[in-house]
Amino acid sequence: HFAGYGFNKSHSAAYGVLTYQTAYLKANYAAEFMSALLASEMGNMDKLPVFIGEAQEMELEILAPDVNHSGVRFSPEGKGIRFGLAGIKNVGEGAAEAIVAERGRGGPFAGLVDFCARVDGQLANKKVVESLIRCGAFDGVKMHRARMFNAVDFAMSRAAAAARDKRSGQRNLFDGLESAPGASAMEALPDCPPWHAGEMLAGERELLGIYLSGHPLTQYAALLKRYQLTTVQGIATVQDKAV
């Protein structure tokens, strides 16, 4: 009965045009098309990894989220796709928009303390900052994730103290020096042992839906390739009881 309504000429013609248009865009503007597709599924941790996998199969590199490079949503960058800040679990569009807007006003963030001092703490609260660190969005400041994660409270307190001093008219000893050693001093965080690879990858999988900096099975790749009988995609072609 449904065929009388669902497959009439007006529907099939409209769907045919839409199919042609989207296929053309996907074939000729792959990064832009997949960026838009990923952006439409932000927050859906069931579908997002599927479409990211499809983009990777199309040889589009998925670039890690970065507080100094990512936009609010997924965006094409060169021959790849930059992970959008709002696509990170626990971050949300409000915090992502605040981060991108502040970066546009004041330039790239020098580090964790600078970030905490400049971005509204009501939007980028402790949970947001911790999620950004754990997924690798602060890797560009060249400090390992464990050190930043363990110093979030310290960084937020230091940023708050700097804001109070600024409001009261006090100046830091290093203010006004062109060589800016004060910036480095402000970003000095208590050190600690770095996380092992498995812990870093677990954070990426939890917050991004995928592994980006590596994969837990990479160390076993040669062994798996040696003993594998088929792939998931190839199961359908294997004869029954052949294995």
Side-chain angles (χ1 to χ4, degrees):
H1 175 74
F2 176 74
Y5 163 78
F7 299 100
N8 55 47
K9 188 178 294 185
S10 63
H11 279 205
S12 60
Y15 293 158
V17 171
L18 184 61
T19 300
Y20 174 83
Q21 291 173 335
T22 52
Y24 177 86
L25 292 171
K26 187 175 182 180
N28 293 280
Y29 300 93
E32 290 82 357
F33 179 86
M34 292 305 295
S35 294
L37 181 60
L38 290 167
S40 72
E41 294 295 345
M42 283 196 313
N44 188 336
M45 285 300 177
D46 292 324
K47 288 189 176 181
L48 202 58
V50 175
F51 292 135
I52 288 176
E54 183 176 353
Q56 291 172 325
E57 289 178 4
M58 296 166 65
E59 300 184 352
L60 293 170
E61 182 182 5
I62 304 298
L63 304 172
D66 190 312
V67 293
N68 282 329
H69 294 284
S70 292
V72 175
R73 295 173 171 271
F74 290 82
S75 57
E77 186 174 316
K79 294 184 178 180
I81 297 172
R82 176 68 67 177
F83 209 103
L85 295 177
I88 302 169
K89 187 178 179 180
N90 301 330
V91 174
E93 291 202 30
E97 289 171 354
I99 294 166
V100 173
E102 176 54 39
R103 188 179 72 213
R105 285 190 296 266
F109 300 105
L112 184 60
V113 178
D114 183 44
F115 177 92
C116 293
R118 290 167 53 188
V119 181
D120 185 352
Q122 296 297 315
L123 292 171
N125 56 32
K126 182 180 178 181
K127 187 173 184 179
V128 169
V129 175
E130 288 178 341
S131 297
L132 289 167
I133 293 169
R134 289 182 62 215
C135 75
F138 274 101
D139 286 1
V141 303
K142 308 302 181 186
M143 189 178 292
H144 66 77
R145 298 179 193 179
R147 183 176 180 183
M148 289 186 286
F149 185 85
N150 290 335
V152 169
D153 287 329
F154 176 84
M156 296 182 95
S157 297
R158 176 170 281 188
R164 287 195 299 270
D165 290 346
K166 186 175 182 180
R167 287 194 299 269
S168 64
Q170 297 182 37
R171 289 170 62 89
N172 185 281
L173 174 64
F174 299 105
D175 286 349
L177 296 180
E178 293 182 1
S179 57
S184 298
M186 281 292 289
E187 292 299 337
L189 304 177
D191 203 0
C192 67
W195 289 332
H196 55 76
E199 193 168 0
M200 292 173 59
L201 291 172
E204 293 175 9
R205 181 68 178 83
E206 176 189 343
L207 298 167
L208 305 179
I210 60 169
Y211 301 109
L212 268 183
S213 61
H215 196 282
L217 294 180
T218 298
Q219 58 183 317
Y220 306 111
L223 192 64
L224 291 171
K225 186 174 182 180
R226 178 180 178 184
Y227 290 107
Q228 76 174 14
L229 300 174
T230 186
T231 62
V232 172
Q233 292 84 354
I235 288 176
T237 63
V238 177
Q239 294 294 320
D240 188 29
K241 300 182 180 180
V243 177

